[in-house]
Structures are given as structure tokens and as C-alpha cells.
Amino acid sequence: MADIDLNAYLARIGYDGPLTPTSETLRSLCWAHVRSVPFELLDGPDGITPAIDPEGVFEKVVRRHQGGACMEVNNLFATLLSRLGYDVTPLAARPWLPQERAYTESADHMVLLVRLDDADWLVDVAYSQLTAVEPIRIDGTVSHERGWDFQVLWEGAEFVASRRGASGRWTPIHRFTLEPRGEQHFDTIVDLYLNPARDSPIPRTLMCSRVTAEGKVLLVNDLFIEAVNGVEHSSRIETPEACRRAVDRVLVGHPQLAERAVRIWQRLIGDRLLTATPGAGTTAHNREEIRQ
């Protein structure tokens, strides 16, 4: 089991409640985590290959007060849960791509399976898109949270996690099996996305998000998305001032990350807007569908 400072980890996420492995403790830990640790993919655009082992992620998230992607943060959270006595297994999911109306070919999103109270629960504290903060039973039970419904159903040969907002329509989030996937699998995903020899959009993409009381805020390059009480709103970020406002909303409490995000936006987006023809700031650039 990974050698991490449990007290320092709990202090980082601001949790001082009970530690007995119960469903209520698990819910509280999930909420504490998402409120304190943002999702961010800033290493890729900065040419950094992050460590995904628990000790390496602990150094980044806890010691250096940063965030991380799913295979970093969910892996670290799995270590915390295991240390507290939970039965937890990392799984790999294939995210839904709305624009392509298809799932990714690679199972590149880490989620966690927690077996508790004679039931299987889906846990995910690190995803760019809107997902449930609280654990979801993997048995078709509908859970309600912040104006959204969430559900996991068995479809064909895989489980599918979905959400439903004010429109009343169920939208897929991702699909997965219960086959355990460890660091070796996700090391392959890191290489797929961050190896300079591969043509991945990740090094050319600014992405960060944070859970809010009403839903989630997400910045992807020049697109700002806010999910509030069952409805999503989006707007374009076309000036450094607008970027600063968006970044400050997403990375609140993380000033060093906010400065990095602004610099990355200027390099990837802002400099191009300066040389674009009039009105070009509203056109698409770097809009590859991001998978996690």
C-alpha cells in the first residue's frame, strides 16, 4: 500500500469527520475532495508528464497544492479509501463524445468501484464533465443531486453511467466493465496522450474544472461551460480579462494553478486571437473532443 501521510491528505481536502468506513463517511469524503481538489490538465500544455502513482500524485496534490486528472486524483483517492478500510478497485471507462455521438475507443477515464454494505458503488472525484459527486449504486437506482439525476445501468456487455437534467433526457457519461485496471493500463494512456511522438490534442488543450454547489464549471480552451441546477450554459472566452475571470472561478483557492492556466490560454488561444481576422475570435480552434 502506498506510503502517504494520511493526516496531511485529510487536511488538504479539509476533512475532519469520522473515518469509519461507512456509506456516510464515503459521501462526506467525496464532497470534501471535489470541493478542495480541482480537475486540471495543465501539465500536458506545459510539456510535463505527470506521475500517476499514489506517491507521485500525493506530492503534486497535497504537498504542492495542485489538482490533477482522473488517473492521478482518482488513483490517489483509491489509496485513501483503501487505507481507511474500504474495498476499492480502479476501473477504466470509455467516455461519451457528444459531438461524435460515440464512445472513445480507449478506456481512458479512471473510475472507482467500491464494495460497501453488500452493494457495488461507482465513485468518481476527478472528471472534467458533470458527474455525480456522491457514490452511485451500480444497480439502476436513480440518485438525485444538485438538480440532476444519475444512474448506472447494465447495457449489453458493459455498464453505462448517465445523467438527466432539466430537459428530461438521459445522456451517457461513460461506459465500463468491472475488470480491474491498474497503473500499467493508465501508464499506456499517459503515453498515448502525452508522448510528443503522438498527435494528441492534450498538449494543445487548456482544460480545468471544479464542482460547485449547483453543478460544475469547466474551461476548455476558449469555451466556458457552467452546469447549474439541471441546465448547462456556455460562452466563449475571447479576451485575457474574460479568461482571468473564468480561471478564477474554476481554480479558486489555487492561485499558482490560476496563473499557469492564464499563461497557457494566452499561448494557445490569446496569441492566435491577436493575429486573427476581425470576428475570428468566435470561430473554432483546437476543438478536438476531449476525452476526460
Side-chain angles (χ1 to χ4, degrees):
M1 189 173 293
D3 182 18
I4 63 173
D5 185 337
L6 193 62
N7 290 330
Y9 190 170
L10 294 173
R12 168 69 173 93
I13 64 175
Y15 184 81
D16 60 0
L19 297 178
T20 304
T22 65
S23 57
E24 185 56 39
T25 298
L26 180 58
R27 292 188 190 94
S28 298
L29 286 168
C30 288
W31 274 108
H33 213 289
V34 300
R35 285 170 172 157
S36 303
V37 181
F39 177 96
E40 50 96 353
L41 285 176
L42 304 186
D43 282 350
D46 274 345
I48 300 170
T49 300
I52 64 172
D53 63 285
E55 291 89 348
V57 182
F58 178 84
E59 176 66 24
K60 176 182 177 180
V61 171
V62 178
R63 298 298 189 198
R64 293 190 277 124
H65 200 77
Q66 298 186 31
C70 67
M71 61 192 73
E72 299 172 88
V73 177
N74 274 332
N75 201 23
L76 181 61
F77 193 57
T79 301
L80 171 65
L81 296 181
S82 295
R83 288 278 297 272
L84 294 179
Y86 289 92
D87 181 354
V88 55
T89 304
L91 308 176
R94 294 190 294 125
W96 173 253
L97 306 177
Q99 292 182 346
E100 298 179 19
R101 301 202 59 78
Y103 293 94
T104 60
E105 294 182 6
S106 301
D108 54 16
H109 175 53
M110 180 186 287
V111 295
L112 304 178
L113 170 69
V114 176
R115 291 189 167 93
L116 180 67
D117 299 336
D118 297 321
D120 290 343
W121 301 83
L122 177 68
V123 172
D124 188 353
V125 296
Y127 192 61
S128 61
Q129 308 298 319
L130 177 75
T131 53
V133 172
E134 300 183 5
I136 311 173
R137 288 180 67 108
I138 306 179
D139 62 1
T141 301
V142 177
S143 62
H144 310 276
E145 188 183 297
R146 300 169 295 161
W148 305 84
D149 295 331
F150 298 93
Q151 185 179 45
V152 177
L153 291 172
W154 176 257
E155 293 186 9
E158 295 179 295
F159 289 96
V160 175
S162 303
R163 73 169 185 247
R164 177 173 61 184
S167 69
R169 296 188 304 272
W170 285 101
T171 301
I173 301 172
H174 49 61
R175 60 191 307 131
F176 60 94
T177 70
L178 300 186
E179 177 186 357
R181 295 294 185 96
E183 289 176 20
Q184 183 175 359
H185 170 82
F186 290 100
D187 280 337
T188 302
I189 300 300
V190 171
D191 181 72
L192 177 66
Y193 288 149
L194 295 182
N195 187 327
R198 300 180 182 273
D199 186 25
S200 167
I202 296 298
R204 306 188 303 274
T205 302
L206 167 64
M207 178 179 286
C208 52
S209 67
R210 179 179 63 86
V211 168
T212 67
E214 299 81 20
K216 200 156 197 174
V217 286
L218 164 66
L219 177 63
V220 185
N221 285 338
D222 63 344
L223 181 64
F224 182 75
I225 302 172
E226 183 173 14
V228 180
N229 297 325
V231 179
E232 287 190 344
H233 308 272
S234 63
S235 58
R236 289 291 166 191
I237 304 300
E238 301 178 351
T239 66
E241 293 76 18
C243 173
R244 168 60 70 179
R245 290 193 296 269
V247 165
D248 285 347
R249 289 193 61 191
V250 175
L251 297 174
V252 61
H254 296 78
Q256 291 181 334
L257 286 180
E259 291 301 324
R260 282 182 69 191
V262 170
R263 288 197 302 270
I264 291 169
W265 181 90
Q266 187 62 50
R267 185 173 74 244
L268 296 179
I269 311 299
D271 290 347
R272 296 184 183 183
L273 293 179
L274 288 175
T275 59
T277 57
T282 60
T283 62
H285 48 88
N286 259 6
R287 290 191 195 169
E288 295 99 332
E289 190 65 42
I290 304 304
R291 301 179 176 182
Q292 55 173 3

